[in-house]
Amino acid sequence: MITVLGASGNTGGRVARRLREAGQPVRAVGRDAARLADVAGIGAEAHVGDITDAAFLADAFRGADAAYVLMPLDLAAGGYRAQQEQVGTAITAALGAARVPRVVALSAVGADVARGTGFLETLHEQEQRLGALDAQVTVVRPGLFFESFLPSLAAMQATGVHHDTIDPAVPLPMVATVDVGDAAGAALLDPAAAGVREVHGPEDLTVPDAVARLGAVLGTSLRYERVPEDVMRAALVDAGLPPDVVTEHLAMNAAFNDGTVHSLAGRSPATTTPTSIEDWARSLVAA
Ligand SMILES: NC(=O)c1ccc[n+]([C@@H]2O[C@H](COP(=O)([O-])OP(=O)(O)OC[C@H]3O[C@@H](n4cnc5c(N)ncnc54)[C@H](OP(=O)(O)O)[C@@H]3O)[C@@H](O)[C@H]2O)c1
């Protein structure tokens, strides 16, 4: 039995699908049975509950031969750092108590760095916690998800412009979450998998390039405009994001800009994955 956290989400849903296609029994975890219906439909056992509930989480990992774990965001929780620490600690404690022998964990490029990376610092801390387990751990470190553009897509389409603080000249590994799920699924299916696996998408992209190519598939002209941090902070807070989350976002972008966040593995056939931003945009149109 393989337990999959976030099985109704982007990467976890794909992991569950890959495992079921390989004939593996899957315990699919999420808070809503309806959102788990897709994976239940392909034979996964839906395990409905909240991973902040210790008894539920212990039950989710009980008897598992392996697990896929991630750190979901909860903007309503009131305090990004505290929420991430609570979830990360609870997951690690439950994995240890259940003695799950193999773990594949979602992290990010940049999680090797302890400080100065905003959002990514909590993934660094989680990698440290998981590394202390008596288990075979694979850490999947993707670049920036294409899905990160989704929250601003409606505004982009309305105005033709995407605003952020990332340097337009900096190329970043950007990846579709389906590729991340495939990489994590492959690691779960490989009994020898361990260590770090970076997942980069097909090519590094600058934000202006990504936005223009996204627009081309969506049938609209889109461009990128870099704005100063104070302008971006005000806009994101105005849009309803908690101020601490905005601070994490801006710090992560600054770490992209100055190279603090960078790939350790480098681009190679092992880190390159197939889904292009055009493929991803076409899947959006189709949906
Ligand atoms: N954005 C990026 O560019 C980027 C890059 C690298 C890494 N990451 C990492 O990727 C993570 C997101 O992964 P993803 O896109 O696969 O996830 P996602 O699509 O955001 O889905 C989150 C999943 O977790 C479940 N979930 C949330 N809170 C839960 C709770 N309290 N109890 C039980 N289940 C819960 C959700 O299901 P229900 O809501 O149905 O319960 C859903 O299945 C981020 O948090 C970050 O750590 C992101």
Side-chain angles (χ1 to χ4, degrees), residues 6 8-11 31 35 49-51 71-72 106-108 143 145 148:
S8 52
N10 295 317
T11 62
R31 290 169 297 184
R35 289 198 288 266
D50 196 310
I51 59 172
M71 302 257 281
L106 178 60
S107 186
F145 293 172
S148 306

Side-chain angles (χ1 to χ4, degrees), residues 208-244:
D209 207 13
V211 163
R213 289 168 60 172
L214 178 56
V217 176
L218 299 179
T220 181
S221 170
L222 297 181
R223 68 183 174 82
Y224 175 62
E225 195 177 307
R226 183 182 184 182
V227 292
E229 279 197 0
D230 57 339
V231 172
M232 196 67 210
R233 180 184 299 280
L236 291 174
V237 170
D238 257 12
L241 278 183
D244 69 313

Side-chain angles (χ1 to χ4, degrees), residues 5-13 29-32 35-36 49-52 56 68 70-74 80 83-84 87 106-109 120 123 140-148 177 252:
L5 299 190
S8 52
N10 295 317
T11 62
V29 179
R31 290 169 297 184
D32 185 322
R35 289 198 288 266
L36 291 169
D50 196 310
I51 59 172
T52 60
F56 169 78
Y68 176 67
L70 49 66
M71 302 257 281
L73 292 181
D74 183 356
Y80 170 79
Q83 180 264 340
Q84 290 280 287
V87 168
L106 178 60
S107 186
V109 166
L120 308 179
L123 292 173
V140 175
R141 289 189 186 154
L144 199 59
F145 293 172
F146 294 148
E147 282 78 359
S148 306
T177 54
M252 181 179 70

Side-chain angles (χ1 to χ4, degrees), residues 158-278:
T159 63
V161 187
H162 176 56
H163 295 104
D164 207 349
T165 58
I166 298 177
D167 183 335
V170 171
L172 298 168
M174 293 191 202
V175 60
T177 54
V178 289
D179 288 3
V180 180
D182 286 351
L188 284 159
L189 291 169
D190 174 4
V196 175
R197 166 87 211 276
E198 291 190 13
V199 190
H200 288 186
E203 61 189 314
D204 290 2
L205 293 172
T206 64
V207 177
D209 207 13
V211 163
R213 289 168 60 172
L214 178 56
V217 176
L218 299 179
T220 181
S221 170
L222 297 181
R223 68 183 174 82
Y224 175 62
E225 195 177 307
R226 183 182 184 182
V227 292
E229 279 197 0
D230 57 339
V231 172
M232 196 67 210
R233 180 184 299 280
L236 291 174
V237 170
D238 257 12
L241 278 183
D244 69 313
V245 168
V246 174
T247 298
E248 305 288 358
H249 173 77
L250 296 175
M252 181 179 70
N253 285 356
F256 290 147
N257 293 343
D258 68 15
T260 302
V261 172
H262 63 276
S263 162
L264 297 183
R267 183 165 288 283
S268 73
T271 58
T272 298
T273 55
T275 306
S276 68
I277 193 153
E278 284 85 1

